[in-house]
Amino acid sequence: MKSIQTKIVVLIMMVVILCSGVVGGLSVWRLKTVSDQNSAQIMNLSCREEGKKIEHIFHSVEQSVKIIARNAVKSQNMEKVLQDNYLRVMYIEELRPILLAAANSTEGAVAVYYHLNPEIAPPDAGLFYSKTNYNQTFLVQKVTDLSKIKPEDKGTVDWYYKAVEGRSPVWLEPYNNGKIAENVVSYVVPVYQGKLLLGIVGMDILFSDITKIIADVKPYENGMACLINSDGEVLYHPTGQPQYTVDNIEEWNEFVADAENNSDGKNAFEYRRNGKSYRLTYYAMENGMSMILTAPTSEINRENNQMVNNVIVVVIWIIIICIAGAFTVSQSVITPLKDLTRAAKEMASGNLKIKLPTGSKDEVGILADSMQQMADCLSVYMDRINELAYTDPLTGVKSKVAYTEEVGRLEKSIEEGVAQFGLVFFDLNNLKTMNDTYGHEAGDRYIKGACRLICTTYKHSPVYRIGGDEFVAILRGADLLNGSKLIKRFYDRMAIINRDAEDPSEKVSVAAGMAVFKEEMDADYQSVFKRADGNMYMNKSAIKAGEGPNLEVERLQL
């Protein structure tokens, strides 16, 4: 007959192996799940954020062209106006300042034109302005004479015929504009009075402005971003010569369907190429173009795999230690075993913040110490994952992931009618110039200095880094009530720092814009953010013009 000690030893061995296996398995599963969700969410957020930067440029062009097109339609008989030399000239001169104003107010615009219908007006009648870089002003150019275009060369003036033939606005994919010797993307709108075609209005933006945004995106060590059209053809690839298009990915249609149904940003599409596994996310823009972000799965999972291996090793060692100690267990371990069992259940349910009774030098004490070590190790690993996801590694402030969750909480408070907050949107000036002139280490110091100024001014408000050179502070309580004073103090401190700075990287140039949630005018958080963004750009323009920030606008927000 087996002794009670043997039975207890056997029982302890079974409990230890079972609990360690359950805890270890749950921990490994949880680590992998959280890591996969966080990496996919980070890739989706990065892709969406960079894609929205590009889409913002496209929207700006569309709005400007539509404004010109609306002003081009007059109440009088336009066919008579276009056919009469004097009336046509007066009509064109009336549109000239509108055309220039729209072009000058549009980010990235390098050419703007209004070509009259050659079937009514002369074939070279209209307006055409262009510039080759942002340091130049728009200069008048000769309007293309459509009568001199041979039938076989009709493709060179797609900017006219595609809009006319389609009878609707159209985005043209990148092509070389011979008049300004640049690759451009064009948005063209046909202008009608009733059924009468008056002409087309168009605006060009440099394709290089779009590719610069994409080229700066590099997820992980060997990840990349590229731009495709609606047919899956690659419009821009960082290597210049892409080795594949999305047509080469057999699961592309399956991915598109999955992406359209995936709105929580927690998944990424997996595919294989040349025997290697990759993860991919994309952001589809309204004009048919899409931005793709992809990286090797091995790089994305590198840290997760290391953590999983560490957890497995820890669990194995704990099992070995506990089994070895179980051989000397006696009757006195029965009561402590109950405590250990309860603790194991807590760990299996995901609660790693447990405290086991320690101090005993017998076998039960060793078992308790070992399980406590395992819980502490797993807790450290889980805390590390959360830290990586919610803290910006360069500045130490909260990350874009933390900002996204905070925005969700604010949206919920708005829906419940209890929202009381404001925000300040900060945008660093001249970061690219700092990086290009003094190097990226100086640029990092520049970012840290700006972040330090923001945090010391808004001591009672959480600060988030939401982009390379963009920060947001969410204001509540005293900081919200003193918003106008704080933003003045911010600019005053910035002036003192710049006055005393000896090294260029120690200087700070930040444009800030504040907005406060107002229930009668803000339906959601983005409405408040857009007002803060608008105020920031007003102050940025004023700072660049040497006029200083417009603090009166910030005061009116309160």
Side-chain angles (χ1 to χ4, degrees):
M1 182 177 180
K2 294 182 180 180
S3 66
I4 186 66
Q5 183 174 5
T6 302
K7 294 179 179 179
I8 293 176
V9 169
V10 172
L11 176 62
I12 292 175
M13 290 175 60
M14 293 175 61
V15 170
V16 168
I17 293 174
L18 177 62
C19 291
S20 299
V22 170
V23 172
L26 288 173
S27 300
V28 170
W29 172 79
R30 183 59 180 167
L31 281 170
K32 187 177 186 310
T33 301
V34 171
S35 179
D36 288 347
Q37 290 178 350
N38 286 343
S39 61
Q41 190 174 41
I42 290 172
M43 287 187 67
N44 273 292
L45 286 172
S46 298
C47 188
R48 188 180 301 115
E49 188 68 20
E50 299 304 322
K52 285 184 176 179
K53 290 180 182 179
I54 298 174
E55 197 166 41
H56 173 74
I57 297 175
F58 290 153
H59 284 167
S60 178
V61 172
E62 290 178 2
Q63 292 300 318
S64 296
V65 172
K66 289 176 181 178
I67 289 172
I68 299 171
R70 284 197 297 269
N71 282 276
V73 180
K74 307 297 180 181
S75 59
Q76 62 263 48
N77 186 330
M78 291 303 300
E79 184 172 6
K80 180 180 178 181
V81 171
L82 298 186
Q83 290 175 342
D84 184 274
N85 288 336
Y86 174 78
L87 295 178
R88 184 174 61 251
V89 170
M90 295 297 293
Y91 169 69
I92 291 174
E93 288 304 314
E94 184 180 352
L95 285 178
R96 188 183 302 275
I98 298 173
L99 202 77
L100 279 173
N104 284 313
S105 63
T106 304
E107 178 185 0
V110 293
V112 60
Y113 39 88
Y114 178 32
H115 199 297
L116 299 180
N117 184 354
E119 296 179 3
I120 303 175
D124 60 348
L127 292 167
F128 182 79
Y129 284 88
S130 71
K131 63 179 180 179
T132 57
N133 59 61
Y134 292 123
N135 295 323
Q136 292 181 325
T137 58
F138 281 93
L139 301 177
V140 66
Q141 304 290 341
K142 185 177 179 181
V143 179
T144 301
D145 188 342
L146 295 178
S147 66
K148 296 181 179 180
I149 303 300
K150 298 179 181 179
E152 60 269 26
D153 297 329
K154 187 176 179 181
T156 62
V157 287
D158 275 349
W159 51 266
Y160 182 88
Y161 290 105
K162 280 195 174 182
V164 172
E165 292 170 358
R167 297 182 61 85
S168 62
V170 61
W171 274 100
L172 300 181
E173 292 181 1
Y175 68 97
N176 185 269
N177 187 327
K179 283 186 172 291
I180 61 175
E182 294 282 357
N183 286 333
V184 299
V185 179
S186 300
Y187 181 67
V188 187
V189 174
V191 181
Y192 286 90
Q193 185 185 54
K195 295 183 179 181
L196 177 65
L197 174 65
L198 306 183
I200 63 98
V201 175
M203 187 174 288
D204 299 345
I205 56 175
L206 290 177
F207 186 54
S208 60
D209 287 350
I210 306 301
T211 60
K212 284 177 184 176
I213 297 175
I214 300 173
D216 289 339
V217 181
K218 189 171 179 60
Y220 301 96
E221 183 178 348
N222 294 302
M224 67 171 187
C226 61
L227 187 69
I228 65 172
N229 62 14
S230 58
D231 295 325
E233 298 171 344
V234 177
L235 301 177
Y236 170 77
H237 191 280
T239 64
Q241 294 182 339
Q243 301 301 313
Y244 70 101
T245 67
V246 295
D247 291 331
N248 301 127
I249 304 176
E250 296 178 355
E251 307 92 334
W252 176 250
N253 291 331
E254 174 189 341
F255 165 65
V256 173
D258 178 74
E260 290 175 348
N261 295 325
N262 172 34
S263 59
D264 59 2
K266 293 184 178 179
N267 297 314
F269 178 69
E270 293 191 8
Y271 68 96
R272 298 188 66 83
R273 184 170 63 86
N274 298 331
K276 293 181 64 176
S277 175
Y278 292 82
R279 287 185 183 174
L280 178 151
T281 61
Y282 89 121
Y283 178 77
M285 290 171 273
E286 293 180 2
N287 66 350
M289 298 181 187
S290 297
M291 182 174 176
I292 287 181
L293 207 64
T294 183
T297 304
S298 59
E299 293 182 13
I300 298 173
N301 291 337
R302 183 177 297 162
E303 188 171 79
N304 172 57
N305 292 337
Q306 183 178 355
M307 290 182 181
V308 170
N309 291 337
N310 290 340
V311 170
I312 293 174
V313 170
V314 169
V315 170
I316 291 174
W317 275 106
I318 290 175
I319 292 175
I320 294 173
I321 293 172
C322 292
I323 292 177
F327 284 102
T328 57
V329 174
S330 64
Q331 181 68 32
S332 60
V333 303
I334 295 177
T335 300
L337 265 178
K338 294 180 180 180
D339 296 332
L340 291 175
T341 303
R342 283 194 294 269
K345 290 180 178 179
E346 286 289 323
M347 293 171 66
S349 66
N351 178 20
L352 301 178
K353 305 295 183 180
I354 61 171
K355 290 294 180 183
L356 294 170
T358 57
S360 174
K361 302 300 181 181
D362 57 14
E363 295 81 3
V364 176
I366 295 174
L367 179 60
D369 290 340
S370 299
M371 294 191 69
Q372 185 67 63
Q373 291 175 18
M374 180 176 68
D376 292 342
C377 289
L378 294 175
S379 180
V380 168
Y381 292 142
M382 296 299 293
D383 291 342
R384 177 57 178 162
I385 290 175
N386 288 330
E387 180 183 352
L388 291 173
Y390 292 93
T391 304
D392 178 57
L394 177 63
T395 62
V397 300
K398 297 187 178 183
S399 69
K400 182 63 179 291
V401 174
Y403 171 75
T404 302
E405 292 190 0
E406 178 63 18
V407 170
R409 288 190 287 270
L410 291 173
E411 293 281 13
K412 185 177 179 181
S413 69
I414 292 173
E415 293 175 0
E416 295 173 350
V418 296
Q420 289 185 345
F421 71 95
L423 66 90
V424 185
F425 181 39
F426 304 90
D427 187 89
L428 278 63
N429 299 321
N430 307 319
L431 177 59
K432 184 177 186 302
T433 302
M434 178 68 67
N435 286 329
D436 293 344
T437 306
Y438 301 101
H440 286 275
E441 290 184 0
D444 289 348
R445 291 196 299 273
Y446 182 70
I447 294 173
K448 290 178 181 178
C451 181
R452 186 161 49 250
L453 172 60
I454 296 169
C455 292
T456 55
T457 303
Y458 296 89
K459 296 180 180 179
H460 307 294
S461 299
V463 177
Y464 304 85
R465 186 183 182 194
I466 65 172
D469 56 358
E470 296 174 342
F471 294 82
V472 168
I474 304 297
L475 309 183
R476 295 187 182 89
D479 279 5
L480 178 59
L481 294 175
N482 298 315
S484 60
K485 294 180 180 178
L486 288 176
I487 203 162
K488 181 180 183 304
R489 184 182 303 168
F490 174 83
Y491 282 112
D492 290 342
R493 288 180 174 177
M494 184 168 69
I496 294 172
I497 291 172
N498 292 337
R499 182 195 64 194
D500 298 336
E502 297 179 358
D503 187 280
S505 64
E506 295 175 355
K507 295 185 177 182
V508 177
S509 179
V510 182
M514 185 179 70
V516 176
F517 170 76
K518 296 182 179 179
E519 188 173 2
E520 66 273 14
M521 64 185 298
D522 296 318
D524 53 26
Y525 174 86
Q526 286 302 319
S527 176
V528 186
F529 183 88
K530 286 179 180 178
R531 287 194 285 112
D533 183 55
N535 292 335
M536 182 278 293
Y537 272 107
M538 288 175 59
N539 285 331
K540 178 182 284 287
S541 298
I543 290 172
K544 290 185 176 180
E547 299 172 359
N550 186 356
L551 298 181
E552 181 65 17
V553 173
E554 314 299 343
R555 186 186 68 79
L556 292 175
Q557 294 295 321
L558 298 173

